[in-house]
Amino acid sequence: VVLGDGLLGSELVKQTGWNYISRKKDKFDITNYSSYYRFFLEDHDSVAWWKKYDVIVNCIANTNTYSDNKDLHWDINYKSVIKLSDFCSKHNIKLVHVSTDYVYTNSVNNASENDVPIHGNNWYSYTKLLGDSYVQLNENNLVLRGTHKQRPFPYNKAWVDQVGNFDYVDVMAGLIKQLIEKEATGLYNVGTELKTMFSLAGDVTPDFAPINVPKNVSMNVNKLKNVIKGNN
């Protein structure tokens, strides 16, 4: 089941036909631990709880990178992730957690999964990094780092000096789908070839990245390529 019906969640459901749960459709509240029992488990005999799902794909996050609202980022991107991860561990459900390449801001260029991520100067990347770390404590979980963009590119300008492995949401959702279907676990950088945001956008006006947007979130995606090709 997919949590969230935003850009990525909707595209995953479109490509897979998987069930989805959202705040808008179901009044699902990721901050409310007790609600997980209602949405993820079935009470068959009033004694034993039975799983509705074997895998939960969490696409819910506060992605407002410009916001200085510490509490909102903290509650959604970290505290709720802890609750969800604990719930999944308790009931033997695999958690697939969608993170971000922003955690590599100010880290090394072309960062691999083994490099130390150094968070940017915003609550978004900081709280996402904390959530990643907690989910990884369960080795059966899957953490995915990357950035997806709306197709077609929604703006009339694009940054010429922001570099990364980001791609359009349909491409990124396809890669995520393959990793889930191959039952991958652990941490994966998800993306395509290195590019600027300007080159991804196509026929738009060049622009320069403002100071609070990371200029380099390049990642090594060899681990992703190997598992999709079937190599160990």
Side-chain angles (χ1 to χ4, degrees):
V1 64
V2 176
L3 302 187
D5 56 2
L7 191 61
L8 179 61
S10 297
E11 182 63 30
L12 273 174
V13 171
K14 176 182 176 183
Q15 291 191 20
T16 62
W18 295 338
N19 293 336
Y20 77 97
I21 296 170
S22 72
R23 180 180 59 182
K24 181 168 57 179
K25 179 173 72 73
D26 306 288
K27 295 182 171 55
F28 173 74
D29 182 3
I30 195 172
T31 67
N32 185 352
Y33 183 85
S34 62
S35 70
Y36 297 172
Y37 286 87
R38 172 189 167 196
F39 288 100
F40 303 143
L41 299 179
E42 294 177 337
D43 185 3
H44 281 208
D45 56 13
S46 76
V47 176
W49 292 91
W50 302 81
K51 293 185 294 183
K52 291 183 182 178
Y53 307 104
D54 293 320
V55 179
I56 294 175
V57 185
N58 180 31
C59 295
I60 296 176
N62 177 10
T63 59
N64 187 352
T65 59
Y66 300 100
S67 172
D68 293 326
N69 189 329
K70 173 185 174 181
D71 291 338
L72 188 57
H73 284 291
W74 196 262
D75 289 344
I76 301 297
N77 296 339
Y78 181 52
K79 289 182 181 180
S80 296
V81 172
I82 288 178
K83 295 175 184 177
L84 180 61
S85 183
D86 284 347
F87 177 89
C88 290
S89 295
K90 179 180 179 180
H91 296 284
N92 196 29
I93 299 171
K94 180 178 180 178
L95 176 59
V96 178
H97 179 63
V98 177
S99 185
T100 175
D101 53 11
Y102 267 50
V103 300
Y104 292 121
T105 306
N106 299 323
S107 184
V108 299
N109 292 346
N110 199 35
S112 77
E113 290 84 353
N114 294 322
D115 286 313
V116 178
I118 304 173
H119 65 80
N121 189 24
N122 58 71
W123 289 114
Y124 170 63
S125 58
Y126 178 60
T127 53
K128 290 295 285 185
L129 179 57
L130 291 176
D132 286 10
S133 302
Y134 196 86
V135 174
Q136 288 179 80
L137 293 177
N138 185 331
E139 296 180 354
N140 293 322
N141 290 335
L142 175 62
V143 176
L144 308 171
R145 290 175 175 166
T147 286
H148 54 276
K149 293 297 180 181
Q150 180 180 334
R151 187 195 292 271
F153 196 75
Y155 310 108
N156 57 12
K157 292 184 178 181
W159 300 312
V160 297
D161 57 352
Q162 185 183 34
V163 179
N165 303 86
F166 33 71
D167 213 313
Y168 288 112
V169 65
D170 56 314
V171 175
M172 297 294 286
L175 295 174
I176 292 172
K177 172 179 175 288
Q178 291 183 70
L179 282 174
I180 294 172
E181 290 177 340
K182 288 181 177 291
E183 300 182 352
T185 59
L187 172 64
Y188 281 83
N189 294 334
V190 181
T192 52
E193 73 284 349
L194 196 62
K195 65 186 77 64
T196 66
M197 190 63 70
F198 179 68
S199 65
L200 174 70
D203 189 19
V204 298
T205 303
D207 199 1
F208 290 89
I211 194 169
N212 59 344
V213 172
K215 291 188 175 183
N216 192 322
V217 286
S218 59
M219 305 182 299
N220 184 311
V221 294
N222 288 337
K223 184 178 179 183
L224 167 76
K225 292 178 180 177
N226 285 335
V227 74
I228 287 179
K229 290 178 180 178
N231 300 329
N232 294 323

